[in-house]
Amino acid sequence: MATVVFTAQQARAGTERIDPWVEFQLTSYPAGTTKVYRWGKVDVADVSNYGDAKSDQIISFGRILRTLTGRDGQLQASNASFSVHDDTRKLPASQGLSEDLQDLNLQHWYNRIVRYHINGSSGKTAGDSDRILFRGYLTDYGTDNWPEFNFSADDQLTSQFSPFGSRARFPWRVTSTAQHTNCPAENLGLPEAWWYGEVTDTPDGTDKGAVPTKYVGTETISGDPNWHKFEVCGHAVKQIDDVYAGGVKIVGEYGVTVLAPGKAGWPFAQVYRDIGGRRYTILYAKGPIADAAIAGTAIITCNGQGAETVGDGSGTLIDHPVLQFRHILYAYVINNYLTGLWPGNVPWSAGDPTVNKVNATSFDTVAAQRPTHRGAFLVGVNGQLTFQDIVRLATINGDCQFGHDIDSQMFVVSDEPTSPVADFTDDDDVILRAMPCKPDPSLVFNEIPYLWKSTYTEYQTGRSSGRRTQASIDAYLSTKTDDEVAFEWIRDDATALALANLRAARHRAAPHFTRITLSLYALHLELGQRIRLTHSYFSWALREFRIEQIEIDLDALTVDLVLRDMTASAISATTTTFVYDSRTGSSGSYVVTASPETIAVTIGGPRFAGGSMDVGIQPAAGTYENVRGMIPITIDWNILPSTVNLHFDVLTRTRHSGTSVTPRVRDDANAINYPGTVSTGTAEPTAPQTITITHPGAVGSRTYWLQATRGATTNVPVYILGSARIEP
Amino acid sequence: MASNAVYSSHSDHVLRNVLATMPTGTLLSSSFPLSNLTDSVPATLCRLSSTTVRWVWDLGTATEIQMVVFGQHNIDAGHTGVVWEQHTSNTWTSPDLSVPVTIPAAERDGYRPFPWVDISAHAARSRRFVSFAVKTANSVNLAMGEVMASAVKRIASPNLSWGMQEGESVPGIEHQTGRGVRFAYRTGIRVRNFAGEVDTTDAEATSIKEWFRDSNLRPFIWIPDGSVNDAMIVSFEMGNELKVTREFFNRNRIPLAFREWSRGVQVT
């Protein structure tokens, strides 16, 4: 059965009847029947495949918001809020029962499923299934203005992983006496680590073991009670390459004083150990090696490969950072992995079996776009992380953005170019409404310092480097250095360099952001997709944008998109502009001020020491001559307002009275002159005259010269000095 | 020929919250229960998975009914075998009262006018058991929002004065682009309303006051033209206030306004 799609033609022809509604699934606590409340703005007596009857109790549907993580990986909540009118003090349930809201135990309403549905008259006629616009959990409700009750719902993550939740820290499994009865007290409560990818310090020559271990007590093996357990991580791993004691590689001790999975003398059938209902990778040691490690004088470390796809050591190493992120979501976010094989994806809810909590395909897609990237890291050996930290690390190291997709599944998307999925025009599609549109120069960075190879032992220090985007530096005539980026999940130089390059390329110019409002035919658009926009006021023709945020207003039946311009920045000043100083020979200045939309160019260079303007030209009377030494102002335009004002602030004087000076700005290529005002004074004016050019904007390039001519009577120099401003 | 308006007062409704039994017919689901037939809300339907039905209400004692309105249904226009019946016992082979219910044609937007029957002159109008039945198969599974039976058929006297206003609203949502291209969506509902004045004697004014006291903010029957098979279930729409202007000795001017009680979208 197809999911309903709303078309532009329906909206323009006014043929469609729209039925949005909210569904709230209230399950009795602690266990019991689930009553489904369905509320709309009008009474609709649908049959069961369209959700049965809906009562007209919705005052406001509020807005459904979905946003991608930003460049810093900040997790953005997906949420919705609505208000219900309960004037009868009865919220009817689908079973025909009624329940007095005042009698309910309100705490049982929290974390119950909220879904937004929509369908329409033609969709129902065609047998299309509803589009579920939001799946989430009730996180807040109450009334400030009875009988209006306000409900708020958040996505599956926000409601589950608040900083105060029971699983607010990762890894949430910590060392306990339930598994390790004689674990030293100082190690109890420490997290049981995760190991992903190939973590090794052998290739870089350190070769002392990059993976630390944690002492968790003793175990009797084959009747020998003297074996000490050194926990590597809280799951099976693909492979232990080498074990080190005090940074010295173990060679001949395997099976004698050291036991390691896959090495000689390993006495167990499996490479992992299941202890007290939890699965581990454990190294064993006894004698002086164990004693020194327990004392902390010669810790036991190892190199090798971490989590694999099966969960018993037999699978394929999971070594792509995006796929490692998905594995974390599977094992520790939507499941509570303790032991056994790795769990997989799970349905969103029991009543919603066809939609999983994770959009698995999106992770495969992004991984395929960066096939050579490798992630290798540990979590938990340097303390715990919040879920927000996990998302930040995953998106930075995976070079992707994370959010909730159109089906409320967790998903990732990269900004690799993709084919635009839809074209919109201001004539036919964009609803007339305030439409902010501006570049964000704070996001311009052409030097990206970065750090990789996280250190988990005392033996290795971090390394850092930086990537520069010379074209951007040239364009902006300045170096704009980003905050240092830590690629904490990366251990190979090639991936770190690739990530830095991607980041540098993304920030080389000021991105433009805009927000447009569309009708319901935009409901099927997805975060990260690209659209093309044609807008006459902004002079855009099929200009490409990427969807960064989607906000659905079911009261107004509109869809707001926050868009990032994928074209180069608003102004690409590819030709630098400066002026020769006739006396000192030094160049003038070219300054990009607060916004790339405002460029100030000083023409004529600094004044002489005496403070007098003295850059002279001596044109023939009536003939305009360029300001001496001047290189024309050439600007490649891609300016958003359809016109901008280019202002030349010009000071002129003559050497002797009796002549005059007239400035002008000339567009040579188009043979257009913009005259200034004639002056006759020999003193420097106290204020400049301004020659304003209304620039046609749009895409293109113009070259301007500042020129002057003199009067006919005296053949002496005149002086001219100016600066240029561009102000939209 | 046009007749005076016909109406009920809220407390006239003898079936209100009386639960029907259904010897013939099957409920579609528990979302559309029998209780919806008499909950005073036309929008909440009793839906069936069958095309014939008999609903029976046991009023406990013989109770007078003078008119019945059948609100928000999906019965075919002109369908035969649709009857309102009353009897002394719950047997319907030969009831004391059996009147056909004439189903009007649907209007252009799909809404069906609410049919009504006038049994005020019928000798057997006071019985313990009353029943509605569709005896022959409807073209689609049956649904009905309200069966409103009034103990009194009240006739507007005097009738609304000339100049009465009749209106309808079809709410929707509309936008337009900067170039004037319009987008429109319908909510799927249509709401009828009436407004007018009556010129009354003091006694008639008192009767209207009593009507308002009993029925404000509650649904009741309003049939603008007693000769037309088009009933409405309405409430007063006068801002919760009845204003009686005394124009002259024993003459009063009273503005009245009605608005349809919610009936939801068209029943299909």
Side-chain angles (χ1 to χ4, degrees):
Chain A
M1 187 187 300
T3 302
V4 64
V5 172
F6 299 98
T7 67
Q9 182 55 29
Q10 289 170 344
R12 291 176 193 140
T15 56
E16 190 70 356
R17 192 195 80 216
I18 300 297
D19 292 336
W21 71 92
V22 173
E23 200 174 276
F24 176 50
Q25 302 177 12
L26 179 60
T27 303
S28 304
Y29 181 84
T33 57
T34 297
K35 296 174 186 172
V36 182
Y37 295 83
R38 295 184 180 89
W39 300 310
K41 280 200 167 179
V42 298
D43 289 290
V44 180
D46 275 326
V47 292
S48 58
N49 54 324
Y50 293 120
D52 281 347
K54 296 102 194 176
S55 61
D56 61 344
Q57 290 180 265
I58 288 285
I59 299 170
S60 168
F61 283 111
R63 287 178 167 240
I64 302 168
L65 182 66
R66 293 192 292 127
T67 311
L68 291 171
T69 51
R71 62 181 293 275
D72 57 355
Q74 179 69 39
L75 177 63
Q76 304 288 325
S78 169
N79 52 42
S81 59
F82 58 97
S83 55
V84 175
H85 195 263
D86 190 39
D87 57 346
T88 61
R89 298 178 67 177
K90 304 283 185 187
L91 292 177
S94 63
Q95 291 86 348
L97 305 174
S98 291
E99 196 122 33
D100 190 335
L101 194 68
Q102 305 298 313
D103 292 341
L104 290 175
N105 190 340
L106 303 185
Q107 65 174 320
H108 301 158
W109 287 55
Y110 292 105
N111 287 325
R112 302 305 186 194
I113 290 175
V114 171
R115 301 197 307 192
Y116 276 68
H117 292 243
I118 193 168
N119 211 321
S121 48
S122 61
K124 291 179 182 177
T125 301
D128 294 340
S129 58
D130 310 329
R131 182 170 290 282
I132 300 179
L133 300 171
F134 175 80
R135 293 171 171 88
Y137 294 95
L138 191 72
T139 50
D140 192 19
Y141 107 96
T143 180
D144 298 322
N145 183 29
W146 185 88
E148 177 180 341
F149 282 84
N150 304 311
F151 294 76
S152 297
D154 284 316
D155 60 72
Q156 51 180 321
L157 296 172
T158 306
S159 59
Q160 190 177 3
F161 295 109
S162 80
F164 312 105
S166 60
R167 293 198 299 156
R169 298 286 184 272
F170 291 87
W172 37 263
R173 272 174 53 180
V174 296
T175 302
S176 160
T177 54
Q179 287 74 35
H180 308 294
T181 52
N182 52 7
C183 177
E186 64 268 25
N187 286 347
L188 290 173
L190 295 179
E192 296 176 346
W194 307 338
W195 179 358
Y196 282 96
E198 183 172 20
V199 179
T200 175
D201 61 359
T202 301
D204 65 23
T206 305
D207 205 23
K208 293 176 182 290
V211 179
T213 61
K214 176 177 64 183
Y215 178 57
V216 291
T218 60
E219 182 177 335
T220 299
I221 300 175
S222 303
D224 183 351
N226 297 314
W227 287 104
H228 295 269
K229 296 183 287 186
F230 294 89
E231 176 192 305
V232 177
C233 60
H235 52 82
V237 298
K238 177 64 182 172
Q239 178 175 305
I240 299 293
D241 292 337
D242 289 297
V243 178
Y244 304 79
V248 178
K249 186 183 294 185
I250 299 293
V251 178
E253 296 295 325
Y254 291 121
V256 182
T257 58
V258 174
L259 300 176
K263 300 298 183 185
W266 177 253
F268 307 107
Q270 309 295 346
V271 294
Y272 56 82
R273 301 286 292 129
D274 283 343
I275 302 173
R278 294 182 181 181
R279 181 159 293 185
Y280 297 95
T281 294
I282 289 179
L283 305 176
Y284 293 90
K286 65 181 180 179
I289 290 177
D291 295 342
I294 295 168
T297 56
I299 62 170
I300 293 176
T301 57
C302 64
N303 286 331
Q305 300 178 2
E308 38 69 58
T309 52
V310 177
D312 61 0
S314 68
T316 304
L317 181 70
I318 305 168
D319 64 350
H320 193 285
V322 171
L323 301 183
Q324 289 163 340
F325 180 34
R326 182 175 68 183
H327 191 266
I328 290 172
L329 296 176
Y330 281 178
Y332 305 110
V333 176
I334 63 173
N335 291 289
N336 303 320
Y337 179 74
L338 294 173
T339 190
L341 302 183
W342 291 117
N345 214 343
V346 297
W348 216 97
S349 69
D352 205 0
T354 60
V355 176
N356 287 326
K357 290 192 169 182
V358 176
N359 180 341
T361 306
S362 69
F363 291 79
D364 291 325
T365 300
V366 174
Q369 290 167 339
R370 319 253 193 262
T372 61
H373 288 200
R374 294 292 174 265
F377 60 95
L378 304 174
V379 176
V381 298
N382 294 332
Q384 291 172 296
L385 302 175
T386 65
F387 182 73
Q388 288 74 9
D389 291 331
I390 298 284
V391 170
R392 176 179 56 80
L393 290 167
T395 53
I396 289 175
N397 291 276
D399 195 61
C400 61
Q401 289 172 287
F402 174 76
H404 284 85
D405 69 5
I406 198 168
D407 291 319
S408 304
Q409 297 174 300
M410 290 179 258
F411 88 125
V412 291
V413 62
S414 78
D415 64 358
E416 284 291 299
T418 58
S419 299
V421 297
D423 293 335
F424 298 111
T425 71
D426 63 328
D427 284 0
D428 295 336
D429 304 301
V430 179
I431 291 173
L432 186 59
R433 193 173 282 185
M435 184 174 163
C437 184
K438 60 182 180 180
D440 188 348
S442 69
L443 291 179
V444 175
F445 301 107
N446 43 39
E447 183 174 81
I448 312 289
Y450 66 97
L451 178 76
W452 81 102
K453 284 191 182 174
S454 295
T455 59
Y456 309 112
T457 70
E458 61 192 84
Y459 301 122
Q460 188 175 350
T461 56
R463 301 169 62 182
S464 64
S465 184
R467 297 301 301 168
R468 293 163 66 89
T469 306
Q470 195 57 45
S472 176
I473 295 171
D474 291 344
Y476 286 93
L477 285 183
S478 63
T479 301
K480 299 175 182 298
T481 305
D482 197 359
D483 294 335
E484 186 174 75
V485 186
F487 299 127
E488 296 179 35
W489 287 10
I490 306 302
R491 296 191 72 80
D492 69 295
D493 299 3
T495 299
L497 180 60
L499 288 172
N501 276 333
L502 285 167
R503 202 170 179 87
R506 189 174 301 127
H507 292 290
R508 66 187 172 212
H512 239 83
F513 289 94
T514 188
R515 181 187 185 102
I516 62 171
T517 303
L518 300 168
S519 193
L520 289 188
Y521 47 79
L523 273 183
H524 63 284
L525 296 176
E526 182 60 283
L527 292 168
Q529 286 182 333
R530 296 192 181 199
I531 65 162
R532 293 186 300 185
L533 197 54
T534 297
H535 201 293
S536 55
Y537 179 78
F538 294 128
S539 302
W540 294 335
L542 294 174
R543 194 176 173 98
E544 197 164 310
F545 291 85
R546 183 170 186 265
I547 302 171
E548 303 268 322
Q549 183 184 84
I550 298 175
E551 192 167 349
I552 300 169
D553 185 339
L554 285 181
D555 297 311
L557 299 181
T558 56
V559 180
D560 279 20
L561 304 179
V562 173
L563 302 171
R564 177 186 175 125
D565 185 6
M566 300 311 290
T567 311
S569 71
I571 298 174
S572 301
T574 53
T575 302
T576 56
T577 304
F578 60 95
V579 174
Y580 177 73
D581 183 324
S582 59
R583 179 166 164 175
T584 65
S586 65
S587 60
S589 62
Y590 172 87
V591 180
V592 178
T593 54
S595 162
E597 285 184 349
T598 303
I599 292 181
V601 183
T602 303
I603 304 164
R607 289 175 173 81
F608 294 129
S612 174
M613 180 177 68
D614 197 14
V615 181
I617 56 176
Q618 192 168 316
T623 301
Y624 283 87
E625 185 175 309
N626 296 331
V627 170
R628 181 171 296 176
M630 178 182 177
I631 294 174
I633 300 169
T634 300
I635 298 177
D636 292 331
W637 301 88
N638 201 345
I639 291 178
L640 287 179
S642 57
T643 59
V644 294
N645 291 321
L646 176 60
H647 305 282
F648 283 81
D649 299 319
V650 181
L651 298 169
T652 55
R653 75 176 179 91
T654 63
R655 173 169 288 185
H656 299 294
S657 60
T659 189
S660 62
V661 55
T662 306
R664 79 176 185 188
V665 175
R666 177 170 173 80
D667 175 358
D668 249 346
N670 298 289
I672 303 172
N673 299 316
Y674 302 91
T677 304
V678 63
S679 66
T680 56
T682 57
E684 181 175 332
T686 55
Q689 61 168 297
T690 299
I691 303 172
T692 297
I693 301 169
T694 300
H695 189 91
V699 179
S701 177
R702 288 288 175 93
T703 299
Y704 297 100
W705 297 82
L706 180 60
Q707 301 178 327
T709 188
R710 64 173 179 82
T713 55
T714 305
N715 188 20
V716 294
V718 294
Y719 301 109
I720 179 167
L721 181 67
S723 66
R725 297 177 282 123
I726 300 169
E727 292 180 353
Chain B
M1 193 175 80
S3 299
N4 282 20
V6 173
Y7 66 97
S8 69
S9 190
H10 181 73
S11 58
D12 296 338
H13 304 151
V14 299
L15 291 184
R16 179 156 38 92
N17 294 331
V18 179
L19 188 62
T21 57
M22 188 166 58
T24 302
T26 307
L27 284 180
L28 177 67
S29 77
S30 59
S31 299
F32 303 98
L34 288 169
S35 59
N36 282 352
L37 290 170
T38 50
D39 63 355
S40 302
V41 183
T44 56
L45 298 187
C46 174
R47 293 195 85 133
L48 308 182
S49 58
S50 51
T51 55
T52 59
V53 72
R54 178 175 289 280
W55 290 311
V56 178
W57 291 267
D58 179 358
L59 299 174
T61 58
T63 304
E64 176 153 353
I65 293 175
Q66 295 193 352
M67 62 177 175
V68 189
V69 170
F70 308 95
Q72 196 65 343
H73 64 88
N74 64 352
I75 306 171
D76 303 335
H79 191 62
T80 56
V82 184
V83 294
W84 176 255
E85 296 177 331
Q86 301 190 172
H87 197 50
T88 51
S89 65
N90 189 7
T91 54
W92 303 98
T93 49
S94 181
D96 296 341
L97 179 151
S98 181
V99 295
V101 179
T102 302
I103 305 298
E107 290 155 342
R108 291 291 293 273
D109 58 4
Y111 275 112
R112 293 173 171 82
F114 296 177
W116 67 289
V117 292
D118 178 0
I119 54 175
S120 58
H122 204 290
R125 65 178 178 272
S126 180
R127 292 292 184 270
R128 175 178 168 178
F129 292 93
V130 299
S131 174
F132 172 82
V134 178
K135 297 180 177 178
T136 57
N138 194 44
S139 63
V140 296
N141 288 335
L142 289 163
M144 184 168 286
E146 193 68 21
V147 178
M148 190 169 277
S150 176
V152 185
K153 176 191 172 190
R154 300 178 187 272
I155 300 173
S157 178
N159 204 11
L160 288 173
S161 304
W162 286 107
M164 171 191 73
Q165 292 179 324
E166 176 183 357
E168 297 190 355
S169 63
V170 182
I173 291 175
E174 189 179 9
H175 300 290
Q176 67 177 16
T177 70
R179 307 290 166 173
V181 174
R182 292 171 66 177
F183 306 126
Y185 291 112
R186 299 160 73 98
T187 60
I189 60 172
R190 171 162 60 90
V191 182
R192 301 164 70 185
N193 57 74
F194 277 81
E197 287 185 350
V198 288
D199 182 16
T200 71
T201 63
D202 289 350
E204 291 162 344
T206 299
S207 173
I208 289 174
K209 288 176 186 173
E210 286 286 273
W211 179 25
F212 183 77
R213 291 163 190 155
D214 182 47
S215 302
N216 188 40
L217 294 176
R218 293 170 169 176
F220 55 88
I221 297 167
W222 173 253
I223 302 167
D225 184 340
S227 64
V228 177
N229 189 19
D230 181 7
M232 299 165 61
I233 297 176
V234 301
S235 65
F236 285 114
E237 187 75 356
M238 301 171 304
N240 299 328
E241 190 172 8
L242 182 72
K243 291 182 177 176
V244 179
T245 303
R246 190 161 181 82
E247 299 282 352
F248 193 66
F249 174 72
N250 201 27
R251 300 310 304 175
N252 304 280
R253 181 168 53 84
I254 306 176
L256 293 176
F258 313 101
R259 186 172 185 269
E260 259 188 325
W261 201 246
S262 62
R263 58 174 172 169
V265 302
Q266 306 95 312
V267 186
T268 55

